Amino acid sequence: MDDTQVGSSLPDEKHHEGGFRPVAELIQARKDRGADTVDGAHYGELIEQVRRLMDRTRLVNPSDELAKEAIATLEQLNARLDTAVVDEWSSPSWTRTDLPARGNITLPPYTVVSGDRDGVTAKVTFRTFHLGGNNAAHGGHIALAFDDIIGMTAALATKSVTRTASLTLDYRSITPLNRELTVRAWTERVEGRKVYLRATLHNDDKLCAEAKGLFIVLNPGQP
């Protein structure tokens, strides 16, 4: 995926993000470092290692000795990472379009195959961390993936920033873990600031879930 498919992560002078981001500061930061610069060559591997930790923690049953050892290690790591914590606008976790889910650790990892005004197609994998029960993905994590991908679809359709107003899911079959699945999202219609969208989640030809959403285009400066 390249930036032309989903739009630039950082705004230019004609692009407004409502109250979401300090646009002027981001524009200047982009100019200062060059629009094509990718920061953090090892950031993607860091995110992947954290995901692996989350996967193991989901099913781990440690001895007291192992638990204490892990706690001590994590305390040291957290103290070290504290020195690099920044505010949300400075974090690369929403701008790294070269990484699954833009590097956002809170999202199920997905990769955009294509994205334009006609809709978005993405490949998503629900990992062990996303387990709901009996080797199936938790419905809440499925909703989270839909929400983010549908939100991207709304942004591409309107070229504006939107907020979720309503998201309704129907679960049609078990969503398996650790398997690449396909999400397709598209805009049904736009009525003023209201954007009505649909999306499906498939395991090959099998429908796992579908969603419909209502997103609202933000007014300038609206949080």
Side-chain angles (χ1 to χ4, degrees):
M1 180 189 69
D2 59 42
D3 286 349
T4 61
Q5 290 177 298
V6 296
S8 178
S9 299
L10 296 179
D12 56 29
E13 280 93 341
K14 295 182 180 179
H15 186 80
H16 95 79
E17 294 283 356
F20 263 50
R21 298 163 188 157
V23 176
E25 290 85 348
L26 289 175
I27 294 171
Q28 189 59 51
R30 182 179 183 179
K31 289 180 177 179
D32 290 344
R33 71 170 186 263
D36 297 327
T37 301
V38 176
D39 297 323
H42 301 289
Y43 183 75
E45 180 58 25
L46 171 63
I47 293 300
E48 173 57 23
Q49 290 299 327
V50 174
R51 289 193 185 277
R52 292 182 184 181
L53 174 63
M54 292 161 63
D55 288 339
R56 284 153 180 76
T57 304
R58 179 64 179 85
L59 293 178
V60 72
N61 183 18
S63 64
D64 284 345
E65 180 179 359
L66 178 56
K68 289 190 292 184
E69 179 183 345
I71 290 168
T73 299
L74 290 170
E75 285 177 340
Q76 291 180 347
L77 179 59
N78 282 327
R80 183 71 181 90
L81 291 175
D82 275 344
T83 64
V85 171
V86 295
D87 60 73
E88 67 175 286
W89 316 121
S90 303
S91 170
S93 64
W94 57 272
T95 64
R96 290 293 299 267
T97 57
D98 58 311
L99 300 177
R102 304 184 307 283
N104 190 337
I105 194 68
T106 65
L107 299 173
Y110 69 83
T111 301
V112 174
V113 177
S114 63
D116 54 33
R117 291 182 65 90
D118 293 328
V120 171
T121 298
K123 299 293 185 179
V124 62
T125 300
F126 295 95
R127 299 173 57 146
T128 303
F129 174 76
H130 305 112
L131 173 66
N134 201 23
N135 204 38
H138 192 291
H141 289 299
I142 296 171
L144 180 59
F146 269 134
D147 186 49
D148 199 70
I149 295 170
I150 293 175
M152 179 186 298
T153 306
L156 288 172
T158 63
K159 295 186 177 180
S160 301
V161 177
T162 64
R163 282 276 199 186
T164 312
S166 175
L167 184 64
T168 303
L169 271 64
D170 291 307
Y171 299 95
R172 301 304 188 186
S173 62
I174 295 299
T175 298
L177 297 178
N178 299 307
R179 180 176 175 82
E180 190 175 70
L181 310 173
T182 302
V183 175
R184 295 184 179 89
W186 63 96
T187 301
E188 287 195 314
R189 66 186 188 278
V190 178
E191 297 178 355
R193 293 171 58 206
K194 296 180 179 180
V195 190
Y196 295 87
L197 306 106
R198 297 291 296 271
T200 59
L201 172 67
H202 279 85
N203 175 19
D204 291 332
D205 293 331
K206 190 172 186 178
L207 179 62
C208 298
E210 53 189 336
K212 59 181 179 180
L214 168 61
F215 282 62
I216 306 297
V217 174
L218 297 184
N219 288 320
Q222 185 177 356

